[in-house]
Amino acid sequence: MEKKELLYEGKAKKVYTTDDPALLIVSYKDDATAFNGLKKGTISGKGAINNQMSDLLMERLEKAGIATHYVQMLSDRDTLVKRVQIVPLEVIVRNIAAGSFSKRYGVEEGRVLPSPTLELSYKNDELGDPLLNHYHALALGLCTQEELAVIERYAFAVNDFLKNFWQECGVTLVDFKLEFGRLADGTIVLADEISPDTCRLWDSATGEKLDKDRFRRDLGGTEDAYAEVMRRLRSHD
Ligand code: TMP
């Protein structure tokens, strides 16, 4: 399958059409941004790592009964996916307080939450992805009640799977962000990516951050951290 036209370029990925209207090619870049694009940089090797990690995890999730957009890896940076209409929600699951949760609610980073906590934001860069609840999502017509039910069930199932998977790699899954899409027939599938850009991953033994927070917070060693989580993931198999 070949790339035809550039359909969309985001902060970290490009999306191309193919000869099949139901399939797209996603191409992962090394570009990184944070704080809604205010901070810009490059994380060398990130595109290939995020592509391969995402594909490997989505393949596992499919086997665990969660429908995804994943079709086939085409090269180290490119993946063939099913074309979806993205539901404009950022679906965040948190196991441990960190990031905006810690800041907003005044909770120290690292406090284990009593149970996995789901958060929704409106995927809208102009508005800065504002936090919203169920009622807001329905009032804005972002999705239906039925779709929300599927999305939430999937989000917790993904958490159960990923938490366990990462634990076996000596990595603690702190939180992550998912996006979902609708296939032409309306079926909800997991889309976007699962990578150190979209997950907080801490070394279970040392607590060291192995994710994009190294870039966001200028901690240094970002490339090494991405390579280390990829190495752990590969050694799992
Ligand atoms: P937050 O604590 O900054 O709200 O982030 C929660 C999780 O979502 C964290 O794992 C990083 C991820 N995330 C994204 O994937 N994209 C984003 O634009 C933001 C702000 C967070």
Side-chain angles (χ1 to χ4, degrees), residues 6 8-16 26-31 46 50 54 69 177 179 191-195 197-198:
L6 181 65
Y8 168 80
E9 178 158 7
K11 293 178 217 147
K13 298 188 281 294
K14 291 181 186 175
V15 182
Y16 295 89
V26 177
S27 189
Y28 286 73
K29 307 190 284 186
D30 284 352
D31 299 350
K46 170 172 90 79
N50 286 8
S54 221
H69 71 163
K177 185 263 301 181
E179 294 183 24
D192 194 48
E193 66 179 278
I194 306 173
S195 72
D197 274 19
T198 61

Side-chain angles (χ1 to χ4, degrees), residues 90 92 94 98-101 119 129 175-177 197-200 216:
E90 301 215 332
I92 293 158
R94 301 181 186 271
S100 69
F101 182 94
E119 197 176 286
D129 298 340
D175 58 31
F176 58 93
K177 185 263 301 181
D197 274 19
T198 61
C199 302
R200 283 197 175 92
R216 294 189 189 98

